[in-house]
Amino acid sequence: MRSRTARASGDADREWARHWRYTSLPGLDLLRARYVGHTFPTHSHDGYVFGAVTAGVEAVGMPDGTLLAGPGTVVMINPEVPHTARAGAAEGWSYATLYPTAGLVAEVAAEVTAIGGTAGFGETMVDDPGGARLITEVHRAAEEDNPLAADSVLRVVLARLLRRHGARLPGRVVASAGARTAARARAVLYERMAAPPTLEALAAELGTSPFALLRAFKEAYGTPPHRWLTDARVRRARRLLDEGLRPSEAAVTVGFTDQPHLNRHFTRIVGVPPGAYQRERAG
């Protein structure tokens, strides 16, 4: 399979990225890239993130602080955890990342570990050159169109990381009044994504004040409502692009002003423009 790359934002001679899905492994997204000036804003994923830094330094911003990941480290992020990413050194960073579904991780965890409940990772970054090498081998096998090797190595690296670093994710605690309000606000924003209310109108609808809603939402989801909505729009746009909708149509459907508006936010959050993202799906 011929590898194609899409230029990311920034200096085209220094940055490149390929974000794609190997059709023989449905549900697994792959990103291999080099970024220098590109900065990922606060965002989250439906599934897990496993990234192997191969050169340079990546600065990963997590709710409890920023971590610097260099070659030989593996970054592991649980579903729905807000995070950022940017260069942690002047030369930027290169990495290979896997985005398996929560279902696949749960399947492997049930087979190779005794973790009860939902499996996850208490450490965001670990020094594991062997694990990092396996992540790059999944990429290599997929790019060489070797489905047996890609599937085998994917499961081996997931088993390795779960055995060494996996843990049971904490169960849900009884939500406070603020958390319940934030959850209701999120549901409203998701339902009315294309035409959201103002903060004042949303707060009035939920029976609270605008500043109280801002505090509760950021405490619950790590980001204010307008930034959460941008991330949610991009995530929905990705699903629409996967279904074959044109970028211009996806932009309007999720509430962006036009395709350039989608392009800007999509590239910042996903790492490649929507057109390049969709072409990889079609290829």
Side-chain angles (χ1 to χ4, degrees), residues 182-212:
R184 290 169 59 203
R186 184 177 65 166
V188 170
L189 293 175
Y190 195 84
E191 179 67 26
R192 304 182 205 167
M193 184 175 292
T198 65
L199 178 66
E200 183 178 10
L202 180 58
E205 182 176 337
L206 299 177
T208 188
S209 72
F211 281 109

Side-chain angles (χ1 to χ4, degrees), residues 63 82 176 178-179 182 212-225:
S176 65
L213 177 57
L214 274 175
R215 287 193 300 270
F217 200 98
K218 189 167 184 179
E219 182 176 348
Y221 303 114
T223 188

Side-chain angles (χ1 to χ4, degrees), residues 17 22 35 42 64 107 129 132 175 197 223:
Y22 182 38
Y35 295 118
T42 301
D64 56 353
E107 176 188 329
T223 188

